[in-house]
Amino acid sequence: MTEITSKLSTALADRYKIERHLGEGGMATVYLAEDLKHKRKVAVKVLRPELAAVLGAERFVQEITTTANLQHPHILPLFDSGEADSFLYYVMPFIDGETLRDKLNRETQLGIEEAVKITTEVADALDYAHRHNVIHRDIKPENILLHDGRPVVADFGIALAVSAAAGGRMTETGLSLGTPHYMSPEQATAEKDITHRSDIFSLGSVLYEMLAGEPPHIGGSAQAIIMKIVTEPADPVTKLRKSVPPHVTAALAKSLEKLGADRFETAAKFAEALGNTGFSLGVTIDASVAKSSPPRSWVGAIAATAVAGAVVGALLWSVVRPGNERQLTTTYTRILLSRFGAERMPGFVDGAALSPDGSAVVFPDSGEGGEWQLWLKEQGERQPIRLEQRTGRNTAILPYARFSPDGQSIAFIDDGRLKRMARSGGTVVTLSDSALYDATWLDNETIVATGFDGARAYRVPARGGPTEFLYENPSDRYFNHLSALPGGDALLFTTQTQDLQSAQLNIFDITSGEVRELLVGPNAAWYVASGHIVYATIAGDVFAAPFDLASRAITGDAVPVLEPVRLGTNTFRPDLEVALNGTVLYVPRGGSDGPVFESRFVWTDWMGATSEPDTTWRVSYIATGGMSLSPDGQRVAYNLLDESGRIDIYVKPLPDRAASRLTFEGTQNIRPEWSPRGDSLMFVSNRLGSQDLWVQRADGSGGARVVVDRERPIWEGLWSPDGQWIIYRTGDEAAGRGDILGFRPGSDTADTELVATEYEETSPRISPDGKWLAYASDSSGRKNVYVQPFPNVDEGLWQVSNGGGTEPLWTLNGRALVYRSGTRVMVADVNTASTFSVGAPRMLFSTTAVANDDNHYYAVSPDGQRFLFALPVTSGLASVDLVLVHNFLAELDATLRR
């Protein structure tokens, strides 16, 4: 028994026998006890000592007494309260059950009827309390107990009693009344007068989580959540769960209105609306406006990135405060390295690293056969030296390298494994076999690395030892860049959403585990010794801001520095690296004389081992629309973007014969798909002015003919394995953002809607036996892979991926589904003998170099033993302006003097 528990037991010995500690709450510690007088189990809740010290016993007991008379079947009654030996406590019945939080942690989402029933009964309790002038102020799943299937609300009036007892001294308690995810806007902005409509908002937030699996507003910190509650409307619940009935959706939306006067007048009317199937708001709730559709073409992708940069820039300048910004003068030394004539220099900076003193750069570059190798360029040496020949399973993966704090060692990622070697070369030591992607080296001989999934961060001892989990991002965000802070106990990291619409800079206190948001906008950031943070945005603009290490806070205005930098073709990380001493290496935006990347084809087996069918074949980067392998595995069809901006389809016989151009009309010919016999190709073309589906013989003979011409634009199409069906996917915003339809030429007079919802469906694929349809959909809030019977899709629905998934492909025997999840290639075993069943997905290997934009940049061989990938390869130094900057800190210090 701890000292505090022992002391409490002694203080309450005449009334209660403390049996054991049950848990911690926001305001109190909870103990199971026996009520000695009444011979019953009770829960004794003891206020936190620092809170009790501010409140004072007399005022707290006086205030809590006013709530003791609440008697309602869904309100947990108050048995007792008081003060004993400096402990402020209150006593409630012990409920031998679970909280709603426990149930949500286990089940994530509840049945719609169950969620509405719980909400209705809690609303009845709230209405009763409100009529007795008691506002709960802290409705959340933790305060809703489930006893024999019946919800009981705990801690009624406790928050009010604490607030009243503290008077104007609430800031001294360090306590915010209300839990961030469930706070009403008026609570979040600390309004003085909180009404009963605040509880209605909180209850609506709880209902939203029961239905959607997450609260209506989420963020990486309490401050971020509160900002969203105050400024952003909640997404319609149907965006995350389409089966929620319209009247429940409307009632929930009304309960979550920002302005209290726009919510329900009473909790009883909220409950009534939930039970009234005719209830509506009189307006249409459009889930599609809450999420932008992914780019549909090469040009669309560029435009979407520019829009994302403009949005982030607007948010960023709201932090910078227009009118206070200052422009740096360019007095630092700027050297254009591409004029120095070295045989090998970085073709891009993403993946490279400067030593802390700026005297060397380590970078990846492709060698003969296209495999990545690590190179080291020392200051004063004309040519770099090769440090490491790639021997990993998947030589297509770029190895990210990082210097140690003393600059004498280099850590790098080799096929997901974290390795270490001396700067001078020599023995390579494997530190971790985990699937890792990027890393930063801290002062305390610790390396922090991110996983391939982009969601998690791990800690690895720099001398070797166990890999330890540190942190997991919210489900909608992915790590983009890590950078250590001096001291060894904190780091900067940036995250962005997969659609590139949002990025933010965070600080992570490794000792406490606390993550705090610093800025909206940056997608990479570095601390420099002058006491500044240098960061780049999604648009490639570079800024600097003063930063205090002691408080770990930005202490002044950010200003633009340098010139805009280029973004990585696939990663969208900036081609920028900043050393601790302020040395900068970057590639200017628009500084290329030619393409940075070319494309090549690479075979990869199930273990990740690679080979290149034609080492002499290189073309400009394969444009949006992907590639397709013929049924016999002997030819690959793909589309390329030329210098004029048009996209055409080519066919290349494997392994090493020359490719031939198939299309010559229109300006956009994309998404080639082979016919079941391999004699023809189906593709999307705009040659008639709209996005239609065309077919042409694969050898180029004869003319192309249109096979699907609809009012809605079409973005991909394919045949069923028996050739009887044509399945196609639309892409218009107004009517579903991407629906899958099909028809039988010569038999059907109308299309069959296979998957047509308000969500976006992409990448349809029919199983080899023709009985099952696989596709990707964002109906759960993020893209996942699903399977339904074909063509009778109403007979079942199975979710295959559980952590995100796109671009499904069947193996030829139909026994497995392969798909991509971020940088990972995943596989799930399936059984289609009678009904459908699917096993747990497992990762095969990672493909960080492949674009991840819902286009098939890979294919499965006919024997199911290999995968063909279209991979980028650097095209050499001549295409890049590489800039090295010295004396940067003096400029920063003079301009951003604090």
Side-chain angles (χ1 to χ4, degrees):
M1 182 177 294
T2 67
E3 181 180 350
I4 293 178
T5 305
S6 178
K7 185 178 178 182
L8 177 66
S9 297
T10 302
L12 298 178
D14 61 330
R15 297 285 308 276
Y16 304 100
K17 179 182 178 182
I18 303 297
E19 296 186 355
R20 59 186 171 92
H21 173 266
L22 291 177
E24 304 284 339
M27 293 183 290
T29 303
V30 188
Y31 297 89
L32 174 64
E34 182 182 354
D35 182 344
L36 299 177
K37 180 178 179 180
H38 300 99
K39 306 298 182 184
R40 60 186 176 184
K41 299 293 183 183
V42 294
V44 176
K45 298 192 174 185
V46 182
L47 292 188
R48 289 172 11 198
E50 64 271 26
L51 182 59
V54 173
L55 300 182
E58 183 177 351
R59 183 68 189 276
F60 172 72
V61 173
Q62 176 186 337
E63 293 294 340
I64 202 171
T65 301
T66 63
T67 70
N69 293 323
L70 293 179
Q71 301 293 324
H72 188 277
H74 296 296
I75 293 178
L76 194 66
L78 178 70
F79 282 167
D80 190 13
S81 63
E83 185 268 341
D85 194 12
S86 76
F87 292 107
L88 291 183
Y89 68 92
Y90 55 100
V91 183
M92 292 183 166
F94 171 67
I95 300 297
D96 189 10
E98 66 176 353
T99 66
L100 178 57
R101 168 58 60 217
D102 296 330
K103 186 176 179 67
L104 287 172
N105 286 344
R106 186 177 66 253
E107 301 180 14
T108 305
Q109 294 169 284
L110 306 188
I112 294 174
E113 291 184 4
E114 182 181 16
V116 170
K117 179 176 182 293
I118 290 173
T119 305
T120 301
E121 292 175 347
V122 172
D124 189 44
L126 287 175
D127 185 66
Y128 167 83
H130 294 164
R131 285 186 281 109
H132 287 77
N133 300 315
V134 177
I135 302 169
H136 192 287
R137 295 178 178 233
D138 197 18
I139 292 294
K140 58 185 178 183
E142 289 82 352
N143 280 337
I144 299 174
L145 310 179
L146 301 176
H147 182 57
D148 293 333
R150 177 171 60 91
V152 181
V153 183
D155 286 0
F156 235 113
I158 304 303
L160 176 61
V162 169
S163 178
R169 298 182 298 152
M170 276 305 298
T171 56
E172 298 178 37
T173 69
L175 176 70
S176 175
L177 295 180
T179 302
H181 288 107
Y182 314 99
M183 276 186 180
S184 65
E186 53 268 33
Q187 279 182 293
T189 54
E191 291 186 16
K192 183 177 180 181
D193 298 321
I194 301 298
T195 72
H196 65 280
R197 298 195 194 205
S198 177
D199 281 350
I200 294 173
F201 184 97
S202 298
L203 180 58
S205 299
V206 173
L207 173 58
Y208 192 105
E209 182 173 1
M210 287 191 285
L211 295 172
E214 62 184 40
H217 299 91
I218 57 177
S221 66
Q223 292 85 350
I225 296 167
I226 288 172
M227 183 62 69
K228 290 183 178 182
I229 289 173
V230 174
T231 63
E232 297 182 10
D235 286 337
V237 69
T238 49
K239 177 185 175 184
L240 299 177
R241 191 169 179 180
K242 62 182 179 180
S243 57
V244 178
H247 71 285
V248 174
T249 302
L252 182 53
K254 186 174 179 66
S255 74
L256 295 175
E257 288 286 354
K258 300 294 183 193
L259 187 64
D262 291 336
R263 297 174 210 143
F264 290 99
E265 183 179 353
T266 65
K269 289 189 176 181
F270 181 23
E272 180 183 345
L274 290 172
N276 177 11
T277 57
F279 179 79
S280 70
L281 298 178
V283 297
T284 300
I285 301 174
D286 183 8
S288 67
V289 302
K291 181 175 182 293
S292 299
S293 178
R296 305 300 186 183
S297 68
W298 179 271
V299 176
I302 296 173
T305 302
V307 171
V311 172
V312 171
L315 290 172
L316 177 64
W317 281 108
S318 69
V319 176
V320 172
R321 297 190 296 274
N324 291 330
E325 64 271 16
R326 290 158 289 175
Q327 181 66 51
L328 285 177
T329 59
T330 309
T331 61
Y332 46 77
T333 304
R334 184 180 186 273
I335 305 171
L336 192 61
L337 293 183
S338 57
R339 296 175 183 167
F340 277 30
E343 293 179 2
R344 185 179 299 274
M345 286 295 291
F348 50 91
V349 181
D350 179 24
L354 284 165
S355 61
D357 62 1
S359 64
V361 58
V362 59
F363 62 94
D365 201 358
S366 56
E368 296 180 4
E371 73 279 4
W372 291 113
Q373 302 166 4
L374 280 180
W375 297 79
L376 178 70
K377 172 66 170 63
E378 296 277 5
Q379 183 176 329
E381 296 292 335
R382 183 175 179 83
Q383 300 294 347
I385 60 172
R386 188 176 69 185
L387 286 179
E388 187 261 350
Q389 171 72 45
R390 289 299 301 278
T391 57
R393 293 177 301 159
N394 193 339
T395 56
I397 301 175
L398 182 151
Y400 284 93
R402 297 293 179 257
F403 277 95
S404 60
D406 64 6
Q408 298 307 304
S409 297
I410 296 169
F412 61 96
I413 308 293
D414 180 6
D415 194 26
R417 300 175 178 89
L418 179 63
K419 297 183 178 182
R420 172 180 179 159
M421 68 185 307
R423 175 171 169 174
S424 58
T427 304
V428 175
V429 178
T430 298
L431 302 178
S432 175
D433 285 324
S434 300
L436 303 176
Y437 176 60
D438 193 6
T440 188
W441 199 321
L442 280 67
D443 288 347
N444 60 0
E445 279 294 284
T446 297
I447 297 172
V448 175
T450 62
F452 269 130
D453 58 5
R456 298 170 181 85
Y458 303 87
R459 176 165 51 192
V460 182
R463 297 291 178 183
T467 301
E468 175 189 359
F469 169 78
L470 277 182
Y471 172 73
E472 182 171 6
N473 277 313
S475 60
D476 63 332
R477 305 202 72 86
Y478 301 87
F479 282 109
N480 195 62
H481 184 262
L482 303 177
S483 181
L485 287 171
D489 58 353
L491 58 86
L492 301 171
F493 73 89
T494 60
T495 62
Q496 64 186 32
T497 52
Q498 195 167 18
D499 60 7
L500 304 181
Q501 297 298 305
S502 175
Q504 67 186 40
L505 171 62
N506 310 277
I507 186 168
F508 179 28
D509 185 314
I510 299 174
T511 303
S512 67
E514 177 190 5
V515 171
R516 178 163 50 88
E517 180 183 312
L518 290 179
L519 278 178
V520 173
N523 72 342
W526 298 261
Y527 175 81
V528 292
S530 58
H532 301 95
I533 288 177
V534 178
Y535 61 86
T537 70
I538 286 178
D541 298 315
V542 185
F543 295 83
F547 181 81
D548 181 58
L549 270 179
S551 62
R552 294 175 181 169
I554 293 174
T555 57
D557 298 314
V559 301
V561 296
L562 300 175
E563 58 187 308
V565 300
R566 191 186 63 187
L567 302 178
T569 302
N570 294 296
T571 64
F572 292 96
R573 290 158 56 120
D575 267 336
L576 172 69
E577 176 66 12
V578 183
L580 181 63
N581 78 333
T583 302
V584 178
L585 185 68
Y586 70 95
V587 177
R589 184 197 303 165
S592 295
D593 297 325
V596 177
F597 287 107
E598 295 176 331
S599 284
R600 60 193 176 102
F601 286 122
V602 172
W603 284 110
T604 304
D605 66 19
W606 282 58
M607 298 302 294
T610 61
S611 62
E612 193 169 359
D614 187 349
T615 58
T616 64
W617 182 82
R618 299 288 189 271
V619 293
S620 59
Y621 194 66
I622 291 179
T624 295
M627 49 173 280
S628 178
L629 189 63
S630 62
D632 61 5
Q634 300 300 308
R635 292 162 294 169
V636 58
Y638 56 92
N639 41 243
L640 293 179
L641 177 74
D642 67 17
E643 294 181 357
S644 70
R646 64 173 292 122
I647 305 175
D648 282 298
I649 293 172
Y650 292 75
V651 177
K652 174 177 171 52
L654 297 175
D656 55 6
R657 290 173 57 191
S660 59
R661 180 175 168 182
L662 183 70
T663 59
F664 294 88
E665 298 180 47
T667 60
Q668 184 168 264
N669 301 280
I670 60 173
R671 300 274 189 173
E673 292 289 344
W674 291 90
S675 63
R677 294 191 302 176
D679 57 350
S680 300
L681 281 163
M682 182 181 292
F683 57 93
V684 172
S685 179
N686 65 352
R687 60 189 63 190
L688 292 182
S690 59
Q691 296 289 128
D692 304 317
L693 207 56
W694 293 73
V695 170
Q696 186 167 345
R697 290 188 60 84
D699 60 8
S701 63
R705 58 186 176 90
V706 64
V707 292
V708 182
D709 178 7
R710 303 290 189 265
E711 292 185 6
R712 301 176 67 180
I714 297 170
W715 286 99
E716 57 185 312
L718 68 156
W719 283 279
S720 61
D722 61 7
Q724 299 300 305
W725 284 79
I726 291 178
I727 296 91
Y728 68 92
R729 191 259 298 180
T730 64
D732 49 328
E733 292 287 332
R737 301 189 298 121
D739 294 335
I740 300 173
L741 301 96
F743 75 101
R744 290 169 294 180
S747 299
D748 293 340
T749 58
D751 293 336
T752 298
E753 289 189 346
L754 298 173
V755 189
T757 71
E758 69 268 37
Y759 305 104
E760 182 182 57
E761 291 86 30
T762 58
S763 305
R765 284 296 183 272
I766 305 297
S767 61
D769 63 7
K771 297 180 179 179
W772 308 96
L773 168 66
Y775 61 93
S777 171
D778 61 3
S779 58
S780 66
R782 66 185 300 186
K783 279 288 179 70
N784 271 297
V785 174
Y786 298 86
V787 168
Q788 292 186 254
F790 177 80
N792 301 316
V793 292
D794 294 333
E795 295 180 359
L797 173 65
W798 293 267
Q799 182 171 330
V800 175
S801 61
N802 53 27
T806 61
E807 306 155 81
L809 290 176
W810 297 88
T811 57
L812 191 62
N813 59 15
R815 297 175 185 172
L817 258 175
V818 182
Y819 63 91
R820 294 183 59 200
S821 179
T823 62
R824 302 172 297 170
V825 175
M826 308 290 292
V827 64
D829 296 326
V830 299
N831 187 339
T832 60
S834 54
T835 185
F836 184 85
S837 63
V838 59
R842 62 187 187 275
M843 187 179 87
L844 294 178
F845 48 82
S846 176
T847 56
T848 58
V850 181
N852 192 34
D853 55 8
D854 265 334
N855 292 280
H856 281 92
Y857 292 95
Y858 79 115
V860 181
S861 66
D863 61 6
Q865 299 303 306
R866 297 188 298 173
F867 305 88
L868 186 67
F869 285 94
L871 297 178
V873 60
T874 55
S875 60
L877 177 64
S879 64
V880 175
D881 285 341
L882 190 65
V883 178
L884 180 67
V885 176
H886 290 300
N887 303 329
F888 192 51
L889 291 189
E891 180 72 18
L892 283 177
D893 189 57
T895 309
L896 291 170
R897 193 176 305 279
R898 288 170 289 177

